[in-house]
Amino acid sequence: MSQATESDVREDGIIESVSGPVVTARDLDARMNDVVYVGSEGLMGEVIEIEGNITTIQVYEETSGVSPGQPVEGTGAPLSVDLGPGMLDAIYDGVQRPLDVLEEKMGSAYLDRGVDAPGIDLEKTWEFNPEVEEGDSVEPGDIVGIVPETPSIDHKVMVPPNSDGGEVTSVESGNYTVEETVVELDSGEEIQMRQEWPVRQQRPSVEKETPTEPLISGQRVLDGLFPIAKGGTAAIPGPFGSGKTVTQHQLAKWADADIVVYVGCGERGNEMTEVIEDFPELEDPITGNALMDRTCLIANTSNMPVAARESCVYTGITIAEYFRDMGYDVALMADSTSRWAEAMREISSRLEEMPGEEGYPAYLSARLSEFYERAGYFQNINDTEGSVSVIGAVSPPGGDFSEPVTQNTLRIVKTFWALDADLAERRHFPSINWNESYSLYREQLDPWFVENVRDDWPETRQWAIDTLDEEAELQEIVQLVGKDALPEDQQLTLEIARYLREAWLQQNAFHPTDTYCEPEKTYRIMDAIKTYNDAAFEALDAGVPVEEITDIDAAPRLNRIGVQEDYNEYIDELEDDITSQLRELY
Ligand code: ADP
């Protein structure tokens, strides 16, 4: 987070009252959303309400010791992030202070009051390779140079969106700090690698386009049944022990996003510690580099002040937009948006606002949609295309999806991946419930799958969905009367559905091959099961008893396709064996 460098000289205010993270001050010369420094320790806060000469501030740090009569200093600048090389590989707190720097200054990352630290290293030098020459004219957003930021990602240095642009009068390759001028314009403007951007303001774009490409996750249940688009939104509830962590790691590792921004918001300290400890160990399976080379972590744990949950969400989305502007596909994961909503509830109650449903403020839904609205597939102002996909975790208390945060989120997002504790208990992983989950992108993304995978992707998938639906209905009957009471064709459907679940939907994140499944393989497994289905029903029609059909020894081999590296050969052979073994029965 940036210090308020361009601050005007402003009148200090005097604290009137302190109620947890909410502080009121009188006679403060400030505007809405300005950053202010509160109390003798100068704790960072943000103006959230102004009435007459009383200003209400939410403070992003623990307020014990802050008391009426102490000063509040305005900065004249809104809450902003520092943008530039050095954000990848970083781990920030909710107001973009690098945790390692805090730790150095304070001895602990969690005792961080009144310490300011720039979001990007101001002393480090970066190799700047110009993309423009003297005499070129540049406009806002234009890429003026490239910095090899990490082995995985080239950082594109851009003309700030609020610049006037102009003609380049001076530019030279070399090593620079983020504050040194790398390009001079005829207007006198000097461009540095560092930009600031107010977190509550969406970065400009030319237009938001309809997303047409999937964000491929390599997870069959997601790509096959509930795909999210690049630039799409998804929600994932995380009842404890349901496999949320593994699912998130899988997405961070395998989703075909260039950049991952992971916002840990208000989760229990040990969960976040897990992320902070795990992520730096993870390897990017695609490049072999460290996963952190394309990842930015923002960590606000439950023992950090609640108000900072809000700032960490906005900080994360702003960083995501900045990389989007470079033409990258960014995936932002926020875990958990419910904790952010709880922070809104707490602040709102301290403001004595009229509570809405279950005590959440009436603007809960507006805030959530404002956040998810910033996702999308964009044509950027420099004519590149980039996307921000947002995957938000929700943590409904007791797994009850009817509570307001889940309900409001589901009204906004277009994909819902219902993690299910029962499935996890039955060791069905990933434990995404195929009856409750949905994706509104399915049809919209079909042309991509048709063009890039197979012509009959939509039909084959529909067959799989119908079969699983039928299974769900039949299971109800089976529970009452037992499987043997069903007619033979329905018994056969149950058997086929079992293979869809076991061979297709289940996927072992810890198996070196099965951990990632390319769309072609996702298709071929589904299609192999359909081949068995079609041949099996032919045999049934020809009078073969269902037990004989389900007993063929080729069928169980379906369950091993996932772990096959040379799956094409394996499936070709298996399909031949299945059809010939069934053919022998009549
Ligand atoms: P949560 O974060 O919801 O508490 P985890 O993600 O840690 O749960 O998952 C709990 C356990 O479930 C893991 O340790 C692992 O054994 C198993 N598991 C979860 N997802 C998968 C998966 N996709 N493949 C294999 N095992 C899984």
Side-chain angles (χ1 to χ4, degrees):
M1 189 75 38
S2 58
Q3 302 242 21
T5 38
E6 297 139 43
S7 59
D8 322 336
V9 179
R10 300 221 159 211
E11 283 290 298
D12 280 0
I14 301 292
I15 295 179
E16 278 264 312
S17 70
V18 181
S19 164
V22 175
V23 167
T24 57
R26 111 180 94 78
D27 301 332
L28 180 69
D29 180 14
R31 288 165 302 193
M32 267 303 274
N33 298 330
D34 272 3
V35 170
V36 295
Y37 292 110
V38 176
S40 347
E41 286 177 90
L43 309 181
M44 185 189 268
E46 185 186 5
V47 174
I48 54 171
E49 205 175 77
I50 301 174
E51 258 188 57
N53 75 337
I54 297 292
T55 306
T56 307
I57 299 151
Q58 60 178 352
V59 182
Y60 292 131
E61 305 184 69
E62 183 54 54
T63 53
S64 52
V66 177
S67 56
Q70 290 181 352
V72 178
E73 185 194 336
T75 64
L79 190 63
S80 303
V81 277
D82 284 326
L83 301 165
M87 294 190 296
L88 295 176
D89 199 18
I91 305 180
Y92 292 123
D93 77 352
V95 284
Q96 209 206 2
R97 296 179 298 192
L99 288 187
D100 50 348
V101 177
L102 287 185
E103 218 158 44
E104 230 166 76
K105 284 195 182 176
M106 305 292 296
S108 154
Y110 302 108
L111 290 171
D112 45 8
R113 300 202 330 161
V115 180
D116 216 330
I120 50 179
D121 192 330
L122 302 180
E123 270 133 52
K124 182 167 176 164
T125 58
W126 299 92
E127 177 193 322
F128 175 79
N129 303 290
E131 290 279 290
V132 291
E133 294 174 359
E134 282 169 28
D136 285 354
S137 70
V138 293
E139 291 177 16
D142 282 358
I143 294 165
V144 294
I146 306 272
V147 171
E149 179 173 350
T150 69
S152 306
I153 294 295
D154 277 342
H155 194 106
K156 320 268 173 73
V157 178
M158 297 172 289
V159 178
N162 43 11
S163 150
D164 292 327
E167 194 177 294
V168 175
T169 53
S170 160
V171 56
E172 214 174 309
S173 62
N175 291 305
Y176 299 91
T177 68
V178 293
E179 290 188 310
E180 283 170 329
T181 297
V182 289
V183 173
E184 284 175 32
L185 303 182
D186 59 351
S187 59
E189 186 177 339
E190 298 179 340
I191 295 170
Q192 293 89 23
M193 290 191 258
R194 170 176 174 269
Q195 312 189 352
E196 272 178 38
W197 193 262
V199 295
R200 291 183 188 275
Q201 192 180 332
Q202 181 166 10
R203 285 175 66 86
S205 61
V206 176
E207 66 174 9
K208 199 164 169 170
E209 296 171 356
T210 307
T212 53
E213 260 183 62
L215 182 74
I216 294 295
S217 65
Q219 312 303 304
R220 290 187 284 274
V221 59
L222 305 184
D223 299 340
L225 288 183
F226 311 111
I228 176 176
K230 285 200 172 112
T233 49
I236 182 166
F240 184 69
S242 61
K244 186 176 68 166
T245 312
V246 176
T247 307
Q248 273 164 341
H249 281 198
Q250 287 296 88
L251 286 167
K253 274 200 239 179
W254 293 111
D256 64 341
D258 304 302
I259 307 277
V260 174
V261 177
Y262 189 98
V263 179
C265 174
E267 280 301 340
R268 284 184 301 274
N270 53 354
E271 271 183 35
M272 214 42 230
T273 317
E274 216 172 86
V275 174
I276 293 173
E277 280 170 5
D278 284 1
F279 268 59
E281 307 265 300
L282 298 178
E283 190 178 278
D284 177 355
I286 298 144
T287 59
N289 300 326
L291 190 65
M292 285 300 287
D293 284 350
R294 57 184 184 91
T295 305
C296 176
L297 281 183
I298 298 159
N300 174 266
T301 56
S302 54
N303 54 352
M304 294 185 187
V306 290
R309 293 183 194 169
E310 175 145 310
S311 63
C312 76
V313 168
Y314 284 100
T315 298
I317 195 93
T318 309
I319 291 175
E321 284 174 349
Y322 175 68
F323 282 107
R324 170 209 80 188
D325 285 348
M326 298 180 200
Y328 286 126
D329 293 313
V330 185
L332 179 136
M333 294 191 242
D335 182 17
S336 141
T337 55
S338 299
R339 306 281 168 253
W340 167 34
E342 285 162 14
M344 282 185 226
R345 178 166 65 183
E346 180 170 342
I347 303 280
S348 167
S349 88
R350 288 186 193 269
L351 293 174
E352 292 172 8
E353 290 171 342
M354 174 90 85
E357 226 183 321
E358 289 188 22
Y360 288 103
Y363 47 78
L364 170 70
S365 130
R367 285 283 170 84
L368 287 172
S369 60
E370 231 171 71
F371 166 65
Y372 283 104
E373 278 281 302
R374 288 172 74 168
Y377 194 98
F378 291 87
Q379 193 193 339
N380 295 323
I381 56 173
N382 55 16
D383 282 335
T384 60
E385 289 187 345
S387 65
V388 175
S389 313
V390 174
I391 298 161
V394 287
S395 345
D400 168 18
F401 293 169
S402 68
E403 58 86 40
V405 183
T406 311
Q407 281 305 309
N408 278 299
T409 305
L410 292 186
R411 255 176 245 140
I412 302 162
V413 300
K414 295 200 168 165
T415 317
F416 179 53
W417 297 326
L419 277 178
D420 183 325
D422 289 340
L423 284 176
E425 207 163 290
R426 282 167 21 210
R427 313 288 306 157
H428 174 111
F429 293 117
S431 53
I432 290 174
N433 184 312
W434 54 94
N435 294 316
E436 286 184 33
S437 302
Y438 59 78
S439 164
L440 302 182
Y441 297 111
R442 230 188 234 159
E443 276 71 37
Q444 180 176 335
L445 297 174
D446 273 348
W448 187 94
F449 284 103
V450 166
E451 194 175 314
N452 292 279
V453 191
R454 292 302 175 94
D455 283 354
D456 62 345
W457 174 282
E459 294 77 26
T460 314
R461 182 200 52 215
Q462 194 54 48
W463 165 80
I465 293 170
D466 293 343
T467 307
L468 290 166
D469 282 352
E470 203 178 332
E471 183 197 36
E473 280 169 31
L474 292 175
Q475 287 295 5
E476 289 178 23
I477 305 174
V478 170
Q479 292 199 336
L480 294 176
V481 296
K483 187 172 161 193
D484 295 338
L486 291 180
E488 289 206 313
D489 59 334
Q490 295 185 343
Q491 290 186 32
L492 186 53
T493 299
L494 285 181
E495 184 72 358
I496 301 291
R498 183 173 67 82
Y499 281 113
L500 279 174
R501 284 188 282 111
E502 293 178 359
W504 192 53
L505 295 182
Q506 287 194 22
Q507 189 173 346
N508 184 354
F510 301 108
H511 186 281
T513 304
D514 201 24
T515 184
Y516 176 80
C517 188
E518 57 186 12
E520 169 73 11
K521 189 174 178 184
T522 293
Y523 172 86
R524 286 222 63 188
I525 301 179
M526 167 169 72
D527 190 53
I529 301 169
K530 185 162 183 295
T531 302
Y532 176 39
N533 174 79
D534 295 352
F537 274 96
E538 253 176 59
L540 194 71
D541 284 347
V544 183
V546 70
E547 303 80 51
E548 283 183 38
I549 295 173
T550 56
D551 259 4
I552 59 164
D553 42 286
R557 274 157 55 200
L558 287 165
N559 280 340
R560 295 212 306 274
I561 310 177
V563 299
Q564 305 301 321
E565 213 163 321
D566 291 325
Y567 63 90
N568 278 311
E569 209 177 300
Y570 182 94
I571 294 174
D572 290 345
E573 208 173 290
L574 176 57
E575 288 184 337
D576 284 350
D577 289 351
I578 286 177
T579 31
S580 62
Q581 287 182 9
L582 286 171
R583 202 67 201 98
E584 276 166 23
L585 300 175
Y586 59 101

